[in-house]
Amino acid sequence: MTEKKWPETWQEVNPGCMVFRPGSASEYHTGSWRAKRPIWDNAKCIKCGVCYIYCPEGCITENADGFFEANMDYCKGCGICAYECWPKAIVMVNEED
Amino acid sequence: MGKRIGMEIALAAAEVAALCRPDVIAAYPITPNTHIPEHLSDIVAEGRLDAEYICVESEHSAISACCGASGTGARTFTATSSQGLLFMQEVLPIVSSLRLPVIMVIGNRAVSGPINIWNDHSDIMYQRDTGWVSLFAANGQETVDMVIQAFKIGEHRDVMLPVNINIDGFQLTHVVEPIIMPDQEEVDRFLPPYKPFAQLHPDKPMTMGALGLPEIFNEAMRAKDEAILQSKKVVLDVWKEWEKQFGRKYEPIESYKTEGAETLLLTMGSMGETAEIAIDELRKQGVKAGLLKIKLWRPFPFEELRKAVKGAKVLAVMDRAVSFGGPGGPVFAEIRSALYDEPKKPKTLNFIIGLGGRDVMVEDFIKMAKKTALTKKLKPEDAYEIYGVRE
Amino acid sequence: MSTANLNPKKLFENFELYVPKLIEKMEYFSPGHRACQGCGEALAIRLMCKALGKDTVITNATGCMEVISSLYPTTAWNLPWIHVAFPNSASVGSGVSAGLKVLRRKGRIPDRYVKTVSIGGDGGTVDIGFQALSGAMERGHDMLYVCFDNEAYMNTGIQRSGATPFGSSTTTAPAGKASIGNKTWKKNVAEIMVEHGLPYVATACHSYPIDFMNKVKKARSIKGPSYIHCLAVCPTGWRSTSETCIKLGRLALEAGIFPLYEVEYGKYKITVDPPEKLRPVADYIKPQGRFRHLTPDQIRGIQERVLMEYNKLMNKVNHSKSWDELKAL
């Protein structure tokens, strides 16, 4: 069914406020919440994927080379990845305004 | 072809619910509706109905399980009364907001306390604003008919709302009446298989029960209000279709001997039948009295009401519940509000009757009608009385 | 410093390295959800969904996860999902389970197995939703219930629940001159679920993701009721820093506060070995602001109780018999 992203009028509200666009929360970018950002040093990375599995946002993915990177649209800067990375391949740095 | 049988109305309600082929039934026993879930569980146990019967641990879970089942696209049925209905209350407005056509028979019973298992309408009146289509049956035949109609109304794509059918506890639930019970073929012809608008299934993942922020809440409530307002058309269509197939006529407000009536009584539920006898007697005595019986409580039939009271001088509304500290009984408040802007309207007064199973006899209706007929001027505080209170 | 850095050997033992790369890539719980930074519960949900896979219907109690995932007109869920109210996730789940069963039987939905999974926070599970949970589990529906326990009503602002640990300061059980904070011990719902006669009950924690996901998969495979109690660190409510979320879960295990075990057909089994010598509970308590007010004496009291509970569990691990073994006695 066609569904307007942001209903303006009551006629545009889906019956029962049902949502037929699974995963559409990704239209909202939580990256703006971030005070610190993770930076990967791939020289130290052992490609274990600990950062990927522990990310509460699910915003860390493996790239074609087997290294990991966070999608900054969503990364809230919690710092779990850097804290849990035991080879210390990730550091958290302040966001610059 | 359906046949005329004598059956306890609760059992008949269960029989007819089964004829509607519900997929999931979730119910919890409470007097006086208990015979309905009991009998339905019998029907399932005998293999006469292919359904999942969930023997829940509370009414709250009954209606919640109905929500879940209806969410998957299953035709869903439940029944309850009184405290059970109140225990469901948290979920009732959610069922309608989720637009799930759960069908429920309510064996109306007084709300505690003091605890009382007998009939009045206080249980449903607490649920007045939950967004359910609400029907009132006056006898066993109407009960049976309305259960089938309810599925068709609730599941209609222009409605998609839960429907409750109110039947007076004991006065109807436990009474054996002659009923024309339709057969399976007739019900199948009238009620097509349920085609849900949305289903909880991984082939098309969707979210039911999202959070509504203030930016959207007004619009969501308007949409829900429109849905129930618009449902009236479907109710009328379904009743027309019913009359065509089964020959029994249904109207939102049924009039009895109202031609030329100066004094009108208005009832909901089974007391209408007693009131009819009183009207016959009054007419014999030369009193120009008539009776209105509300069958459709939500959406409220404003138009039909205004039409029905035309020409009457005084209207007495019979309520079966108290709005404590309020403007009279809940039906009365509704009727007055509906008539407020009419340039010519009857005087209105309110008798709150038959609370917690207190008998109301033909003579009582005659007394109330005569009192009504004599009514000249009313101070607002005299507008209602709990009838028959010993002082 | 993380515990991982303190003891790299431990990491190798308890965390199967590189395994994370093998797990389901699909994010059924999409980014863009509004959980707090470092939310253990959101992580746990994400992991649970990966373990469950596509053929799942979720019912969610009102609470943090419902609020942060379903702001109309969007949803974080890539799975069919329904939220009705606070106390009834389990009863909604029983309806979903029954609905899927009957519709499949009648050929009105595709003929394949879809699991019903009901979830709730600790308040929605151990307090207000407890009756619905008990009823649904007792009735034996084919469904999994997962409690995400962050040990207080976090969504409404850190009020005490039946799962709040002793001595924790919450907004309705605050610590003060005349109070230690919460004065009751945590209700053990996993054990209560065992006594419901469930074929599968487990405890879990997001800090041990593979263990958690294996348990979810096991529970999914059981055609009947199962229950997982998942400890979920809440940096906001626990007044801990967001990056220590995983570490706190690990410390809970290493101090014997939240052992990870499963009960399969009555037989208890530890699934993640705690250290041979348990850490002092103080190691777990100290980094959390909710315990900041506790005196050494009070911490000693907690230590005693934790050991007692731990020994009680180990006694069951050592002596419990499976239903089959009991039948053969």
Side-chain angles (χ1 to χ4, degrees), chain C residues 225-248:
Chain C
S226 51
Y227 177 85
I228 296 178
H229 196 96
C230 178
L231 184 70
V233 175
C234 172
T236 308
W238 294 16
R239 296 172 178 117
S240 53
T241 53
S242 63
E243 73 274 13
T244 55
C245 171
I246 310 300
K247 174 187 167 181
L248 281 173

Side-chain angles (χ1 to χ4, degrees), chain C residues 147-223:
Chain C
C147 170
F148 295 96
D149 177 6
N150 54 21
E151 303 195 317
Y153 292 92
M154 299 312 183
N155 189 40
T156 42
I158 323 167
Q159 292 83 22
R160 176 224 177 257
S161 82
T164 302
F166 182 88
S168 170
S169 183
T170 71
T171 53
T172 50
K177 269 184 195 154
S179 176
I180 191 174
N182 186 46
K183 295 179 194 67
T184 55
W185 300 93
K186 192 178 175 71
K187 191 196 281 188
N188 192 333
V189 174
E191 287 301 304
I192 299 170
M193 287 300 112
V194 172
E195 289 305 322
H196 277 61
L198 302 193
Y200 189 75
V201 175
T203 61
C205 178
H206 50 62
S207 301
Y208 298 88
I210 306 302
D211 176 70
F212 177 35
M213 292 170 77
N214 285 341
K215 285 168 174 167
V216 170
K217 281 178 189 157
K218 200 179 261 187
R220 190 189 196 288
S221 73
I222 285 178
K223 305 289 180 282

Side-chain angles (χ1 to χ4, degrees), chain C residues 54-314:
Chain C
K54 173 178 171 287
D55 283 339
T56 306
V57 176
I58 307 270
T59 79
N60 203 153
T62 306
C64 287
M65 290 305 105
E66 165 264 325
V67 168
I68 59 100
S69 69
S70 74
L71 276 81
Y72 184 80
T74 68
T75 178
W77 297 89
N78 279 302
L79 295 170
W81 180 90
I82 180 171
H83 155 251
V84 177
F86 196 7
N88 61 359
S89 182
S91 37
V92 173
S94 59
V96 168
S97 174
L100 292 171
K101 187 176 166 191
V102 66
L103 294 180
R104 186 182 177 196
R105 183 167 76 226
K106 294 184 177 180
R108 304 222 311 259
I109 53 173
D111 184 19
R112 65 172 200 276
Y113 183 65
V114 175
K115 189 77 184 186
T116 304
V117 180
S118 296
I119 63 175
D122 49 297
T125 304
V126 319
D127 287 351
I128 198 169
F130 187 67
Q131 173 181 315
L133 171 68
S134 177
M137 294 292 109
E138 163 268 313
R139 289 192 296 273
H141 296 281
D142 179 14
M143 62 187 281
L144 162 64
Y145 191 100
V146 187
C147 170
F148 295 96
D149 177 6
N150 54 21
E151 303 195 317
Y153 292 92
M154 299 312 183
N155 189 40
T156 42
I158 323 167
Q159 292 83 22
R160 176 224 177 257
S161 82
T164 302
F166 182 88
S168 170
S169 183
T170 71
T171 53
T172 50
K177 269 184 195 154
S179 176
I180 191 174
N182 186 46
K183 295 179 194 67
T184 55
W185 300 93
K186 192 178 175 71
K187 191 196 281 188
N188 192 333
V189 174
E191 287 301 304
I192 299 170
M193 287 300 112
V194 172
E195 289 305 322
H196 277 61
L198 302 193
Y200 189 75
V201 175
T203 61
C205 178
H206 50 62
S207 301
Y208 298 88
I210 306 302
D211 176 70
F212 177 35
M213 292 170 77
N214 285 341
K215 285 168 174 167
V216 170
K217 281 178 189 157
K218 200 179 261 187
R220 190 189 196 288
S221 73
I222 285 178
K223 305 289 180 282
S226 51
Y227 177 85
I228 296 178
H229 196 96
C230 178
L231 184 70
V233 175
C234 172
T236 308
W238 294 16
R239 296 172 178 117
S240 53
T241 53
S242 63
E243 73 274 13
T244 55
C245 171
I246 310 300
K247 174 187 167 181
L248 281 173
R250 241 185 246 126
L251 286 171
L253 176 110
E254 291 171 6
I257 288 166
F258 198 85
L260 298 182
Y261 64 96
E262 63 185 8
V263 188
E264 214 174 342
Y265 301 102
K267 174 85 183 159
Y268 284 71
K269 187 185 150 199
I270 292 286
T271 58
V272 179
D273 287 328
E276 274 168 38
K277 191 176 179 314
L278 292 179
R279 274 175 179 271
V281 294
D283 287 4
Y284 171 74
I285 281 173
K286 285 273 163 65
Q288 302 180 50
R290 61 176 175 158
F291 295 120
R292 187 178 294 134
H293 56 284
L294 294 179
T295 64
D297 265 0
Q298 289 165 337
I299 295 175
R300 261 196 297 281
I302 293 172
Q303 179 72 68
E304 277 176 23
R305 171 81 180 211
V306 164
L307 277 179
M308 185 275 282
E309 294 284 350
Y310 183 75
N311 290 338
K312 196 160 89 182
L313 173 68
M314 293 313 282

